[in-house]
Amino acid sequence: MRLTRKRLCSFLIALYCLFSLYAAYHVFFGRRRQAPAGSPRGLRKGVAPARERHGREQSTLESEEWNPWEGDEKNEQQHRFKTSLQILNKSTKGKTDLNVQIWGKAAIGLYLWEHIFEGLLDPHDVTAQWREGKSIVGRTQYSFITGPAVIPGYFSVDVNNVVLILNGREKAKIFYATQWLLYAQNLVQIQKLQHLAVVLLGNEHCNNEWINPFLKRNGGFVELLFITYDSPWINDVDVFQWPLGVATYRNFPVVEASWSMLHDQRPYLCNFLGTIYENSSRQALMNILKKDGNDKLCWVSPREQWQPQETNESLKNYQDALLQSDLTLCPVGVNTECYRIYEACSYGSIPVVEDVMTAGSCGNTSVHHSAPLQLLKSMGAPFIFIKNWKELPAVLEKEKTIILQEKIERRKMLLQWYQHFKTELKMKFTDILESSFLMNSKS
C-alpha cells in the first residue's frame, strides 16, 4: 500500500514537472514566435484590413497595410520616433505662437494642404461649396478654407495672419487674383490683417509683373511670395520657389504606397500619355520611340489636343500607366516643370526629364545656374535628366539590363525622397512664416 502511494506521488510530481516545463516553453518561446504576426509592422501583403482614408488612392493600390522598407524597419522606426519627438517638442515648447489661415483660391492650394501638409478637409466631398481643415506645424496653428463659397467679403476674418493661394497663369485668372489682393489690401488698411503671404501659380513664361506693385519691397503689403517655376525674382529672402505639384484640378489623389507598388515586376519599360504639339520635342520623342520599336515596350497614348478635364476612365488609365511603368517620360511643354514629374514620383516611376529651358523669362539670370527645375535639383531629385531625346534609346537599353531587385531599391529611394521633399517643404514654409510674421509683429 505504501509502495502504491509512493508510486502515485512520484507520478503526480513527474506530471507537475512536465506541465511546468510545457507552460514555461509557451511563456518564453511561444510569444516570441507570435510577436511578428501581431505587430503592425509585421503585417504581410493582403492580411491587414482596409483602412479608410479620404482623398487617398484606393482603387489601384487596394487596401494593403505594409512596411515597404523591409530591412530598414528598425532604423526607420527609430528615426520616425526621433523626428516625431523633435516635431512634438518644437510644436509644444512655445505652444502655438502663430495662428495662420490659408485661403485656397487656386488648385495648387490642395497640393499644399493635402499632399505637403497631409491635412484633411471637411466635408470630404470635393464639390462642396465650403471646405476646411486644421493642422499644427512647429509653433504655428494652421486653418485652411477653400471652395466656391470662399468669396471676398462673404466670410468672417478673425485671424491676423493669412496665406492667400492664387492663380496668376493667364489674364482671366490674374483679374480674379487681383480682386483678392485688393480685398486683402483693404483688410490690412483697416487693421483687420497684420501679415499676408501669397502662394502663386505663376505664368509659365515667368511673366508675373502684375503682382509686383503688391509686394512689400515695392511699397505694397505682401510680405512673402512663394511662386512656381524658375522665376528670376527668387532670392530666398522674400521670394521663394514653390513646386508645381500634381494636377489636383484633375482630381489626382494623394497616393499611399503599397507592397505591390514597390515589389511587383512592371510590364512596361516607360510611359507617355499626353498632348503632342506640332514641331515640338514631344513630336521628336514619339519619332524616336517608334524608330527603335520601343513604343511597343512602353505605354504610349498620344493625343493631338490638350484636355483640361479628366474622365474617370482617363484618370484611371493614366494612374495605371504610372503604376505599371518603370520610367515616366517628361518632355517639356510650355515650361520644363510639369505635373507629370510629381505624379510619377507618387507611384515610384522614375521621371526621365527633358532638362532644357523653355522660351520666356524663367531662369533668366546668372544666379540661377541650375535652372530649369532648380528647386528639385537643389533637393537632390533622383531623376534621369537628359538634354535631348536622342539620348533616350541608350537610357532604355540600360533599363532592360536592370534586375528587379535593383528596381525595387530605386523605387524605394524615389518614394523616400519624395516624402522627404514634401516634409522639408512643409517645415521650411512654416519656418519662413514664423521668422517673418513673428519678427515683424515684435518690431
Side-chain angles (χ1 to χ4, degrees):
M1 188 72 177
R2 287 182 183 177
L3 189 61
T4 304
R5 286 181 181 175
K6 278 185 180 182
R7 286 179 180 175
L8 181 59
C9 290
S10 299
F11 174 77
L12 290 173
I13 291 170
L15 188 62
Y16 175 80
C17 291
L18 285 171
F19 179 80
S20 299
L21 288 170
Y22 178 79
Y25 173 82
H26 273 272
V27 169
F28 293 103
F29 297 98
R31 286 183 184 175
R32 198 172 297 174
R33 289 194 303 179
Q34 292 169 6
S39 166
R41 299 187 66 83
L43 292 171
R44 291 173 292 174
K45 180 182 176 184
V47 174
R51 192 171 46 177
E52 185 177 353
R53 294 184 186 91
H54 169 66
R56 269 52 173 176
E57 172 57 25
Q58 295 176 346
S59 60
T60 306
L61 302 180
E62 299 177 345
S63 59
E64 303 161 332
E65 264 192 44
W66 65 300
N67 173 24
W69 317 134
E70 293 188 324
D72 296 333
E73 284 182 346
K74 190 173 181 181
N75 292 336
E76 185 70 17
Q77 189 177 29
Q78 289 173 347
H79 172 72
R80 286 179 181 173
F81 180 68
K82 186 177 179 182
T83 303
S84 298
L85 279 179
Q86 289 172 344
I87 294 174
L88 181 63
N89 288 337
K90 188 172 181 183
S91 63
T92 56
K93 190 175 181 180
K95 288 298 180 183
T96 51
D97 295 341
L98 188 65
N99 289 320
V100 175
Q101 189 166 65
I102 302 173
W103 299 348
K105 296 309 299 177
I108 58 168
L110 293 178
Y111 182 69
L112 180 149
W113 188 253
E114 295 186 317
H115 294 251
I116 293 176
F117 275 67
E118 299 180 299
L120 298 175
L121 286 173
D122 183 36
H124 298 334
D125 181 10
V126 296
T127 63
Q129 293 293 300
W130 178 284
R131 305 176 74 198
E132 60 186 39
K134 289 188 177 181
S135 179
I136 295 178
V137 182
R139 294 177 292 161
T140 302
Q141 177 167 310
Y142 290 99
S143 58
F144 181 91
I145 58 173
T146 190
V150 181
I151 302 171
Y154 284 84
F155 64 97
S156 60
V157 179
D158 53 3
V159 293
N160 294 321
N161 312 292
V162 164
V163 174
L164 180 55
I165 303 177
L166 299 171
N167 186 339
R169 180 173 279 187
E170 55 195 39
K171 225 173 207 180
K173 302 295 185 183
I174 290 171
F175 175 80
Y176 183 63
T178 302
Q179 303 310 305
W180 270 100
L181 286 169
L182 292 173
Y183 171 66
Q185 183 179 42
N186 181 59
L187 293 176
V188 171
Q189 289 171 346
I190 63 175
Q191 299 184 343
K192 286 273 286 182
L193 276 187
Q194 268 189 301
H195 305 291
L196 182 80
V198 169
V199 177
L200 179 66
L201 175 61
N203 176 268
E204 290 174 284
H205 292 114
C206 293
N207 298 325
N208 302 299
E209 286 73 16
W210 67 274
I211 200 172
N212 239 329
F214 295 102
L215 302 184
K216 194 165 189 176
R217 64 180 178 181
N218 297 322
F221 58 95
V222 176
E223 295 178 31
L224 301 167
L225 176 64
F226 299 84
I227 190 168
T228 58
Y229 306 120
D230 294 282
S231 170
W233 297 354
I234 294 164
N235 57 17
D236 288 336
V237 177
D238 63 337
V239 182
F240 304 85
Q241 187 167 7
W242 192 252
L244 181 62
V246 303
T248 53
Y249 73 95
R250 288 180 172 175
N251 297 321
F252 192 90
V254 176
V255 179
E256 293 286 351
S258 72
W259 188 94
S260 59
M261 180 191 291
L262 190 69
H263 291 87
D264 282 2
Q265 184 79 46
R266 300 191 176 191
Y268 296 97
L269 203 60
C270 67
N271 77 79
F272 175 71
L273 287 72
T275 309
I276 306 299
Y277 305 105
E278 194 174 351
N279 299 321
S280 68
S281 68
R282 296 185 176 199
Q283 196 170 59
L285 166 61
M286 295 305 299
N287 292 337
I288 288 168
L289 281 172
K290 290 175 182 176
K291 181 181 177 182
D292 294 296
N294 284 316
D295 59 328
K296 303 292 190 297
L297 303 175
C298 297
W299 187 324
V300 179
S301 179
R303 61 190 180 204
E304 294 181 358
Q305 193 169 6
W306 180 72
Q307 297 174 3
Q309 299 299 326
E310 294 277 9
T311 64
N312 290 336
E313 184 181 1
S314 66
L315 179 60
K316 185 179 184 306
N317 282 341
Y318 178 55
Q319 290 172 288
D320 287 345
L322 296 174
L323 183 62
Q324 296 179 36
S325 304
D326 289 314
L327 306 175
T328 294
L329 307 182
C330 303
V332 300
V334 179
N335 194 281
T336 310
E337 188 174 9
C338 60
Y339 297 114
R340 185 179 286 106
I341 293 172
Y342 301 90
E343 291 161 352
C345 290
S346 298
Y347 280 98
S349 182
I350 306 296
V352 181
V353 180
E354 185 179 7
D355 187 18
V356 296
M357 283 302 306
T358 50
S361 304
C362 298
N364 190 18
T365 171
S366 58
V367 177
H368 300 148
H369 59 275
S370 60
L373 308 173
Q374 56 188 350
L375 176 63
L376 291 168
K377 290 175 182 176
S378 69
M379 297 186 71
F383 303 163
I384 298 172
F385 294 97
I386 62 176
K387 293 293 184 183
N388 192 303
W389 287 115
K390 291 178 182 178
E391 302 171 41
L392 182 62
V395 171
L396 296 181
E397 285 303 312
K398 182 181 177 183
E399 190 68 20
K400 293 172 187 176
T401 67
I402 300 175
I403 62 172
L404 179 59
Q405 189 56 43
E406 290 178 24
K407 291 179 179 180
I408 289 171
E409 291 302 316
R410 190 176 61 178
R411 291 172 201 163
K412 179 201 296 188
M413 182 174 67
L414 178 63
L415 291 169
Q416 286 178 325
W417 173 84
Y418 187 47
Q419 183 59 47
H420 174 74
F421 171 78
K422 292 184 288 185
T423 302
E424 283 291 302
L425 279 174
K426 176 173 65 175
M427 299 310 296
K428 182 181 178 182
F429 182 79
T430 301
D431 287 343
I432 291 167
L433 291 186
E434 289 176 355
S435 297
S436 179
F437 289 2
L438 291 175
M439 185 175 68
N440 290 338
S441 294
K442 289 175 183 177
S443 59

